[in-house]
Structure formats: C-alpha cells, structure tokens
Amino acid sequence: DTAEMYGSGRAEEIVGEAVAGRRDEVFIVSKVYPHNATRRGAIQACERSLQRLGTDRIDLYLLHWRGSTPLAETLEAFQVLADEGKVRHYGVSNLDAGEMETVNGLAGGDTVAVDQVLYNLTRRGIEWDLLPWCRDHDVAVMAYSPFEQGRLGRTRGLSSVARRHGVSEYQVALAWVLRHDAMIAIPKAVQPDHIRENAAAGDIALSAEDLAQLDWAYPPPKAASPLPVL
C-alpha cells in the first residue's frame, strides 16, 4: 500500500525496487492526491506512479480522500485507466456512508471495489453505517492503522484474550479486524518478524467469549459519528 503523497513519490520508488523481478507475487495499491483527481490529472498522476513503481499496472488505484474535484470526474478517469489496463481495480479512501451512496449513483460508481478507512478496536464508528453499507453493496473495506499507530494500549480485556490464545495483543487486534468478511487490513510492518506475526494473526479464530470481552473493553458505537481519519 503506497501513494504518490508518501515521500513525494519516493515511497512508490522504494516499492518498485522491492518488487523488481517478482511483480506478479504482489498486489500493489496506490492513491492519487485529491488535487490531481481531475479527469486529465488522475490519468497523468497514474502514469507517474506507474513509472516510479516500475510496473505496467496498479492492482488497486484509490482516490486518497475527497477534495474539490467532482467525484464523477475522478470516476471517469479511473474508468479510462481500467479500460487501458493501467489499473486492475479502483476505489476510494476516507469516504463515509453518505459519500459512498453518492459515488454508487454515479457512472462507474457501482464498480468501486474498495473504501480504505481508519478502523481498529478504538475506532469502531464505521460499524454503525459504513460497514453495513459496504457489505450490502459488495464493496470491500480496507482497514488502515489497525493498531492505531501503536497506541492501541493493553487493556485487561485485550490482554486476557491474548493470553487465552497464547499470542500478542497486536495479533488479537488484527484478528479482530479480520473477523469481518470482505475486510482487508494493512498494518505497518518494518521487520520480517513483524510481517510473520501479522500473517499468523489470520489463523486466530476469536470465540464469542473473546468478542464479548473486547466489546467490554472497546465498546461498539451507539450512534452515527463522523468518519475518523489520521
């Protein structure tokens, strides 16, 4: 997961260096700045990203967040890129349920594949409206910062569940995010050990008792709330 914003493009270059010679083994996600998301601007931004990544296609191309450019114009550009094979799938990031409803009503909006949003044990607001909306419309949710940038904390409930499974609190937090169908998580990982630990979280099956303890420690939303961002 990268973007033209990260390191002013340098992050895409690093990803390109990392996947050189093994491009078919990875799924690359990148994002376009809102101010570049016009019909012409998004196509040009994608071309620059492709060059930095050293690839002929981006697997998933996202609007990084909503700006002043009409969503219809951005979707038109995404459709052109998809038709040309430069992006395999396209989607959005940081859009709430109301905005997703707007997108769905536009040309090309019904093929939006993903909404990438902030979601973790301490940021559960999307469970009220966005998550059900995406489930009903076959849109995958990509959860960024599932560990709240390392600030998740070790509550009694989280630690208790981790001890029961013999894993770390972070692995439980990741397994909790992944309990949903059509949910993708993109935790930050720096060391190979971190990557292996994150991958192992996919094998953790949380019980009803586990989920009840986590609901007690991190209560679910009781009303609609603004979409959180980092």
Side-chain angles (χ1 to χ4, degrees), residues 3-11 13 33 52:
E4 65 172 343
M5 172 183 172
Y6 303 156
S8 299
R10 179 55 181 151
E13 293 174 351
Y33 264 125
R52 287 189 292 264

Side-chain angles (χ1 to χ4, degrees), residues 117-127 143-149 152 173 176-177 218 230:
V117 294
L118 176 62
Y119 181 57
N120 57 51
L121 279 163
T122 65
R123 308 272 198 158
R124 300 184 59 173
I126 68 168
E127 294 174 12
Y144 71 81
S145 200
F147 305 141
E148 187 66 11
Q149 296 184 326
L152 196 59
W176 178 86
V177 169
Y218 305 93
L230 286 178

Side-chain angles (χ1 to χ4, degrees), residues 160-205:
S160 175
V161 174
R163 285 194 301 271
R164 186 179 302 131
H165 288 269
V167 297
S168 72
E169 286 89 352
Y170 285 118
Q171 286 176 299
V172 171
L174 189 52
W176 178 86
V177 169
L178 294 172
R179 78 196 188 281
H180 297 286
D181 292 335
M183 175 70 74
I184 305 155
I186 47 172
K188 181 179 178 179
V190 177
Q191 301 298 330
D193 286 347
H194 294 159
I195 297 172
R196 284 188 282 269
E197 184 175 288
N198 289 340
D203 297 326
I204 300 171

Side-chain angles (χ1 to χ4, degrees), residues 217-230:
Y218 305 93
K222 296 181 179 179
S225 59
L227 186 71
V229 296
L230 286 178

Side-chain angles (χ1 to χ4, degrees), residues 99-167:
E99 290 169 321
M100 291 301 294
E101 185 67 31
T102 298
V103 166
N104 192 62
L106 300 173
D110 59 346
T111 52
V112 162
V114 169
D115 188 11
Q116 184 181 121
V117 294
L118 176 62
Y119 181 57
N120 57 51
L121 279 163
T122 65
R123 308 272 198 158
R124 300 184 59 173
I126 68 168
E127 294 174 12
W128 184 263
D129 49 9
L130 179 61
L131 203 55
W133 189 96
C134 288
R135 186 181 300 117
D136 290 344
H137 292 81
D138 294 323
V139 175
V141 174
M142 183 178 290
Y144 71 81
S145 200
F147 305 141
E148 187 66 11
Q149 296 184 326
R151 300 189 300 267
L152 196 59
R154 296 182 176 179
T155 63
R156 188 172 64 182
L158 180 57
S159 296
S160 175
V161 174
R163 285 194 301 271
R164 186 179 302 131
H165 288 269
V167 297

Side-chain angles (χ1 to χ4, degrees), residues 57-77:
R57 80 278 186 196
I58 295 172
D59 297 297
L60 176 63
Y61 198 46
L62 306 178
L63 172 64
H64 209 150
W65 66 88
R66 188 176 185 178
S68 58
T69 301
L71 292 168
E73 192 172 337
T74 303
L75 288 171
E76 186 179 353

